[in-house]
Amino acid sequence: MIMAVQDILEEIRTNLMKGKHADVVDLTRAALDSGVSPSRIINEGYIRAMEIVGTKMKAQEIWIPEVLMAAKAMAMGMEVLAPLIEGQPREAKGKVLLGTVKGDVHDIGKNLVRMLLAGTGFTVVDIGVDVSPQKFVNAAITELPDLIGLSALLSTSIPKIGDTLAALKQANIEKPFKTIIGGAAVSQQVADDFGADAYAVDAAVAVEKAKELMEKLAGHQ
Ligand code: B12
């Protein structure tokens, strides 16, 4: 059956919201076959659907199990797209340490940032979710990244951003690094308040900011 692009995207959103992961995978493949770009599938399909899921969650129209099923459907769709986004290794741009702060288990956005950074040539070390300040510090000491990215989706995670940045600044890390934060709970204001070097509203901006930070590091600013 041949479907118009708008209809495929609409179907992706509907099925993702219902947590129908097999259908999301099939429709994602159908969208690719119709020439829809991975970034359009992510932005107009998955992310738009997750925004609606978030609104319904807030209004208590849906509950955690349904949100988890939607999240799983997005993750399965992302598996189809990941090889296309991550692509072939290009010239090394720098090394990024990435994690979601302590108390917060949201990882869909972080994973998207990881894929886009990897796709543009960054080496990414993802240390997962619910990461304590000490764990960030330990990983920074062993990995010696150029950039450290913190993700936070909950309002209660904002102080953890502060704690983690403070711990990183105090630690004896033998290489200069820059920090970047993101996630629905944070903003440029939070970055300014806690002294993060950058804030990015989404994964595409995260890549731009990461490149800018690498230039600053090279210029020792
Ligand atoms: C999916 C989801 C869940 C899933 C998470 C599954 C998973 N594996 O991630 C589950 C069901 C587990 C969950 C649990 C909870 N959730 Co929840 N969840 C969501 C939801 C619906 C979508 C989040 C998402 O994946 N969005 C899609 C991605 C692509 O977007 P994103 O995460 O924002 O990421 C983008 C940018 O922010 C940025 N970015 C993200 N990370 C980073 C990092 C860096 C370094 C950079 C540069 C950029 C960057 O780039 C990304 C790509 O463009 C949001 C609603 C929302 N509007 O955010 C609520 C939401 C975040 N959850 C919320 C709540 C309250 C909870 C719970 C407390 C509910 C409960 N009562 O138990 C728990 C907390 C669990 C915990 N301890 O963390 C609230 C938070 C409210 C607040 N201000 O604190 C929200 C906003 C829902 C709401 N409207 O009320 N949740």
Side-chain angles (χ1 to χ4, degrees):
M1 188 179 53
I2 297 169
M3 285 167 80
V5 167
Q6 282 303 340
D7 294 339
I8 303 182
L9 291 169
E10 173 71 40
E11 281 291 304
I12 288 178
R13 288 193 291 271
T14 308
N15 284 282
L16 195 152
M17 287 187 276
K18 289 184 187 160
K20 293 191 169 179
H21 52 81
D23 291 326
V24 170
V25 166
D26 289 346
L27 286 158
T28 298
R29 292 210 175 98
L32 289 172
D33 289 345
S34 304
V36 187
S37 69
S39 65
R40 192 161 172 209
I41 298 173
I42 292 170
N43 291 323
E44 293 178 36
Y46 303 169
I47 293 185
R48 185 73 203 100
M50 288 309 282
E51 282 167 2
I52 301 170
V53 166
T55 312
K56 290 190 173 183
M57 183 184 178
K58 196 172 182 183
Q60 302 193 336
E61 286 168 25
I62 56 168
W63 303 94
I64 299 291
E66 291 151 286
V67 181
L68 270 175
M69 283 171 70
K72 168 135 195 261
M74 173 158 174
M76 305 262 304
M78 286 304 302
E79 274 181 33
V80 177
L81 300 179
L84 303 173
I85 299 171
E86 288 171 2
Q88 301 300 317
R90 304 178 202 176
E91 48 162 328
K93 285 221 169 62
K95 189 174 189 182
V96 188
L97 179 68
L98 199 60
T100 302
V101 298
K102 181 79 191 153
D104 198 327
V105 302
H106 295 85
D107 67 357
I108 298 174
K110 168 185 69 62
N111 295 347
L112 208 51
V113 170
R114 181 188 69 214
M115 284 177 206
L116 250 69
L117 284 172
T120 42
F122 284 90
T123 304
V124 188
V125 180
D126 185 345
I127 50 173
V129 297
D130 192 21
V131 180
S132 66
Q134 191 56 51
K135 195 172 165 195
F136 266 107
V137 167
N138 293 346
I141 289 170
T142 38
E143 298 291 345
L144 296 176
D146 301 295
L147 310 179
I148 303 179
L150 315 182
S151 183
L153 271 280
L154 301 170
S155 314
T156 48
S157 300
I158 296 174
K160 300 294 174 205
I161 293 265
D163 296 348
T164 307
L165 291 173
L168 286 167
K169 271 178 200 153
Q170 278 158 23
N172 205 1
I173 300 166
E174 292 170 19
K175 191 178 165 193
F177 63 90
K178 298 274 181 197
T179 53
I180 177 165
I181 64 169
V186 299
S187 58
Q188 185 59 51
Q189 187 63 51
V190 175
D192 294 343
D193 289 348
F194 293 117
D197 297 304
Y199 157 73
V201 68
D202 63 28
V205 176
V207 170
E208 282 167 30
K209 295 274 170 109
K211 287 181 190 162
E212 283 171 25
L213 290 176
M214 289 306 297
E215 279 165 25
K216 285 190 178 167
L217 270 177
H220 302 294
Q221 286 174 40

